[in-house]
Amino acid sequence: TLPAGFPVLTSCSAKDIQVNSTDVDGLDAALSHTNLVSVRMTNANHVLKDVGDQPSNGADYVAPLPYSDEFNEPFVQWVKSL
């Protein structure tokens, strides 16, 4: 069990084909006693690459795509808060 107030970051995206938002909702609920930051994205795939308007299909994991700004900024802010 993580102690109360322990810093935790979770993330999920509508384009993630491995982990859905409902699963992360349950995880976030279980972590409600921590200092939780939950990042919700719309265009990132499972490996945090920006797939834009296209659906993720797994092949995009190794495609030369940029990493998601939807994740980068919240992550940097979370790290700075530690």
Side-chain angles (χ1 to χ4, degrees), residues 32-55:
S32 64
H33 67 287
T34 67
N35 184 11
L36 175 65
V37 172
S38 185
V39 179
R40 302 300 174 113
M41 300 167 285
T42 56
N43 292 321
N45 65 13
H46 186 71
V47 297
L48 303 174
K49 290 187 176 182
D50 191 329
V51 295
D53 293 336
Q54 301 299 314

Side-chain angles (χ1 to χ4, degrees), residues 57-73:
N57 59 17
D60 49 274
Y61 292 5
V62 295
L65 297 170
Y67 285 95
S68 172
D69 286 335
E70 289 179 298
F71 181 78
N72 290 342
E73 282 303 312

Side-chain angles (χ1 to χ4, degrees), residues 8-13 16 19-21 24 27-28 36-41 44-46 48 70-71 74:
V8 175
L9 178 112
T10 63
S11 68
C12 65
S13 176
D16 192 329
V19 178
N20 66 50
S21 296
V24 178
L27 178 61
D28 287 355
L36 175 65
V37 172
S38 185
V39 179
R40 302 300 174 113
M41 300 167 285
N45 65 13
H46 186 71
L48 303 174
E70 289 179 298
F71 181 78

